[in-house]
Amino acid sequence: MRGRFLVLDGPDGSGKSTQIARLAARLREKHENVLVLREPGATPMGEALRDLLLHADVDITPLAEMLLYQAARAHLVETVIRPALAAGQTVLLDRYWYSTAAYQGHGLGLDPEEIRRVSAVATKGLEPDRLILLDVPADVGLARLKGKRDRVEGRSLDYHRRVRDGFLVEAKRLGGKATVIDASRDEESVAQDVRRAVEGS
Ligand code: TYD
């Protein structure tokens, strides 16, 4: 039986990493075989691209940036996600192509429709069983960030506002397959809503 494919996505500072760790622990208690992955990353190639995209001091055009995220994604889907799902594992993925639509599309000004098409090529059409969008206003999310900001986190407040709005647009397009959760609340309330969204899908 094919495993479940669940994606958590959202703006910087939405608390995704905390909520994914909590959800993974919860599902493992119920004896689900859970694989937690993140984008960009989770494969040696993806982690190398992550370093380039987020930490290298080099100029990258918006189109090139978008394609690099898609390249990391294509490799991850083909070499890790599809085999895991085929083996019946539950895959919890921290960010997917909705991030590219939000950050490089709505944020950097590339055409979101073009990004949706390139994403469909990169993933060969693999869509999650559920997208959980942790929604948080840009200023609230940015205020939560600790430490040195990476290339994307360091962009302007206006940029991050467009990203947040972009996520809401993409979730709306997905209709019933997306759950939008108000992540400006306390961790426990958000965790309860995440659990409910997953258990109902
Ligand atoms: P994240 O893993 O949330 O960062 P952190 O390690 O700080 O928790 O995300 C990494 C960054 O990558 C984030 O700022 C958004 C960016 N990103 C894009 O711009 N486009 C994409 O397609 C993806 C997957 C991530």
Side-chain angles (χ1 to χ4, degrees):
M1 199 188 73
R2 178 191 181 276
R4 286 201 290 176
F5 180 23
L6 305 169
V7 171
L8 270 82
D9 218 326
D12 290 286
S14 57
K16 274 181 306 92
S17 316
T18 309
Q19 294 298 338
I20 285 182
R22 288 185 65 140
L23 178 61
R26 162 104 184 160
L27 296 177
R28 283 176 182 137
E29 270 169 25
K30 298 169 95 188
H31 308 291
E32 267 190 59
N33 183 350
V34 180
L35 183 62
V36 178
L37 303 167
R38 70 169 179 179
E39 277 206 11
T43 65
M45 183 262 207
E47 291 293 336
L49 283 182
R50 182 186 183 91
D51 270 349
L52 174 68
L53 282 162
L54 298 176
H55 306 296
D57 189 17
V58 292
D59 203 32
I60 307 177
T61 67
L63 180 60
E65 180 174 304
M66 188 272 280
L67 292 170
L68 286 169
Y69 281 108
Q70 301 284 13
R73 177 167 304 129
H75 189 75
L76 178 66
V77 166
E78 190 171 332
T79 63
V80 183
I81 299 180
R82 282 190 189 275
L85 293 174
Q89 284 188 290
T90 296
V91 174
L92 283 191
L93 180 58
D94 184 340
R95 299 194 181 279
Y96 199 37
W97 69 263
Y98 318 104
S99 274
T100 315
Y103 285 91
Q104 282 68 48
H106 300 268
L108 286 184
L110 298 178
D111 178 5
E113 185 50 38
E114 194 168 276
I115 293 185
R116 290 181 203 116
R117 284 201 303 271
V118 177
S119 302
V121 173
T123 62
K124 295 195 181 155
L126 181 69
E127 286 296 304
D129 298 297
R130 178 147 303 275
L131 163 67
I132 296 172
L133 175 60
L134 299 185
D135 177 49
V136 71
D139 52 342
V140 175
L142 292 178
R144 286 175 176 172
L145 297 182
K146 296 189 193 86
K148 194 170 173 293
R149 293 190 181 183
D150 63 36
R151 180 206 302 272
V152 173
E153 290 166 349
R155 290 176 181 157
S156 70
L157 180 59
D158 266 359
Y159 170 81
H160 286 280
R161 287 194 174 122
R162 293 195 295 279
V163 169
R164 189 261 184 129
D165 292 346
F167 272 121
L168 291 172
V169 167
E170 297 304 321
K172 198 158 187 192
R173 287 178 52 89
L174 274 190
K177 286 230 162 178
T179 305
V180 180
I181 293 177
D182 174 3
S184 62
R185 297 167 304 152
D186 62 285
E187 185 185 319
E188 192 56 43
S189 310
V190 177
Q192 272 179 25
D193 284 0
V194 170
R195 207 179 302 145
R196 218 171 289 135
V198 168
E199 286 168 5
S201 63

